[in-house]
Amino acid sequence: MSFTLIDNAPARLNRSELAVPGSQPQFFEKAAKGAADVIFLDLEDAVAPDEKEKARKNVIQALNEVDWGSKTMSLRINGLDTHYMYRDVVDVVEQAGARLDLIMIPKIGTAADVYALDMLVTQIETAKRLKKRVGFELIIETALGMQNLHEIAGASKRLESLHFGVADYAASTRARTTNIGGANPDYAILTDKDEEGRRETHWGDMWHYALARMVVAARANGLRPIDGPFGDFSDADGYKAAARGGAGLRGQMGDPSVAGRARQRGVHAVLQGSGARPPHPRCHGAGQARRARRRGPRRQAPRHRLDPPGRGAGEEGRRDRRRALMLSRACRPCARSASCRQGRS
């Protein structure tokens, strides 16, 4: 045993995590009565740009007025590269910080990103004399974040968990995917020929390296590692297989309708972590994934639909143009883009 001791993050029940768009207040009461251990009120990808301010006010009101019981309450803010982020933090923590437990920070790229948020939140807590310290959840979903992962994991005492944002990570690394968090039949190896000349195809886990690296960084710093979403919420068998396969390494996120079955089978136990951010059944992302599987292994669905919203995969100009394109396709009632904004991390 090393002489260096690891201080573990505060213990929280984190078997399932439900995303609720801040722009959809009609879902707040239902979420409060649900079975998820953690609820994160989303101000980022589930909210269209013209609804950001209103969604922020909805979240503040909900934190102060809705009876959330013993649930852990988290807030997913907008990215540090947007002009929405500072208001997300300042307004919500100042006006509803007493009921806020965690802030989920998307697309973390460097330890300096964490430091900046830590400084801002510390100043707010001091100024407002808040007695409870808000913790941080970090989403690792870019190549830059994965490169700097170990420095990020030790960047602040506020850190509690690392989440793998598989959809944006796939876009950032320009991976070819046919389903959010799923396998790609082309990512495979062939066995040697048997006596009859036959060869078998064995699919690989294209996310294994990223997840294993994230688990090491999290455990070495006393944090909870949380897997990314399983995109095809209608595939119960696929969900269970992914959950069982990952339980020994990390844990699994999934749909609330199968969260109970996951708990019954104990697949959440190793990481105490599962999150509920499934694609909406009426949203294009879920349908695209199903159609891609029916078309066969070599016909890939469009990446900008299956890996929403496709940011972080190129230069700043290309990323901004792609972001503007996806936001221009925002639909109602769920304020998603052409792909499923809620069904990604």
Side-chain angles (χ1 to χ4, degrees):
M1 179 65 72
S2 172
F3 186 68
T4 300
L5 300 180
I6 298 173
D7 294 327
N8 289 316
R12 296 185 190 274
L13 198 60
N14 202 170
R15 299 167 299 181
S16 57
E17 191 156 351
L18 177 65
V20 183
S23 56
Q24 302 296 315
Q26 67 270 24
F27 295 148
F28 293 163
E29 291 286 353
K30 182 177 180 180
K33 297 175 182 177
D37 299 319
V38 181
I39 295 176
F40 81 78
L41 303 177
D42 194 5
L43 295 179
E44 195 210 12
D45 285 337
V47 180
D50 59 350
E51 297 181 333
K52 298 286 189 183
E53 185 174 350
K54 177 59 177 175
R56 192 182 301 129
K57 294 178 180 179
N58 292 341
V59 166
I60 293 170
Q61 183 177 0
L63 287 171
N64 288 326
E65 298 180 6
V66 175
D67 182 7
W68 300 101
S70 61
K71 295 186 183 300
T72 296
M73 298 304 300
S74 181
L75 170 74
R76 181 159 76 165
I77 61 175
N78 286 280
L80 276 75
D81 60 336
T82 73
H83 64 278
Y84 305 111
M85 183 278 295
Y86 83 102
R87 274 295 165 199
D88 292 344
V89 177
V90 173
D91 289 359
V92 177
V93 178
E94 281 192 347
Q95 300 177 48
R99 188 55 187 92
L100 185 64
D101 301 298
L102 300 167
I103 293 177
M104 180 180 287
I105 309 172
K107 299 177 181 65
I108 283 290
T110 68
D113 294 342
V114 182
Y115 183 88
L117 265 297
D118 192 347
M119 178 188 66
L120 179 59
V121 174
T122 298
Q123 292 180 356
I124 297 171
E125 290 176 342
T126 302
K128 302 300 289 187
R129 293 182 172 85
L130 297 177
K131 297 180 180 179
K132 182 176 62 177
R133 186 177 73 172
V134 175
F136 287 172
E137 303 180 277
L138 307 182
I139 310 180
I140 306 300
E141 48 189 338
T142 65
L144 179 63
M146 189 61 65
Q147 172 182 271
N148 298 316
L149 181 57
H150 292 276
E151 293 79 10
I152 290 171
S156 170
K157 293 296 183 182
R158 293 183 183 272
L159 301 190
E160 294 197 16
S161 61
L162 299 179
H163 295 243
F164 182 48
V166 62
D168 274 339
Y169 183 79
S172 180
T173 59
R174 303 186 185 184
R176 298 172 60 195
T177 60
T178 58
N179 192 3
I180 297 173
N184 186 330
D186 290 337
Y187 192 79
I189 62 171
L190 289 175
T191 64
D192 292 338
K193 294 181 179 179
D194 60 17
E195 295 179 353
E196 299 179 3
R198 294 174 300 191
R199 308 180 73 179
E200 295 183 356
T201 300
H202 290 242
W203 289 15
D205 182 356
M206 60 195 301
W207 315 119
H208 178 77
Y209 165 75
L211 283 162
R213 193 165 188 260
M214 192 186 77
V215 169
V216 170
R219 293 304 189 199
N221 289 275
L223 312 180
R224 297 184 297 274
I226 309 295
D227 196 358
F230 183 84
D232 191 352
F233 68 95
S234 63
D235 184 4
D237 290 337
Y239 166 81
K240 287 181 284 187
R244 289 194 187 102
L249 176 66
R250 53 197 188 264
Q252 186 65 48
M253 302 170 78
D255 174 40
S257 66
V258 294
R261 293 199 293 272
R263 286 200 278 270
Q264 291 169 10
R265 289 170 172 78
V267 297
H268 65 280
V270 174
L271 292 189
Q272 316 139 305
S274 140
R277 282 177 284 175
H280 189 283
R282 294 179 58 191
C283 215
H284 302 292
Q288 281 288 98
R290 289 194 294 272
R291 288 192 292 274
R293 288 190 293 118
R294 286 199 294 267
R295 283 198 299 265
R298 294 192 178 275
R299 296 185 63 185
Q300 306 296 324
R303 182 176 62 83
H304 73 274
R305 295 196 175 209
L306 291 178
D307 291 323
R311 294 189 301 231
E315 295 79 16
E316 288 290 324
R318 295 176 55 197
R319 183 186 67 178
D320 291 340
R321 287 193 295 273
R322 185 160 51 248
R323 176 187 300 167
L325 172 64
M326 299 307 295
L327 293 178
S328 70
R329 296 174 177 173
C331 64
R332 299 296 185 271
C334 53
R336 293 175 177 82
S337 64
S339 57
C340 181
R341 289 179 169 274
Q342 187 179 355
R344 55 167 296 283
S345 114

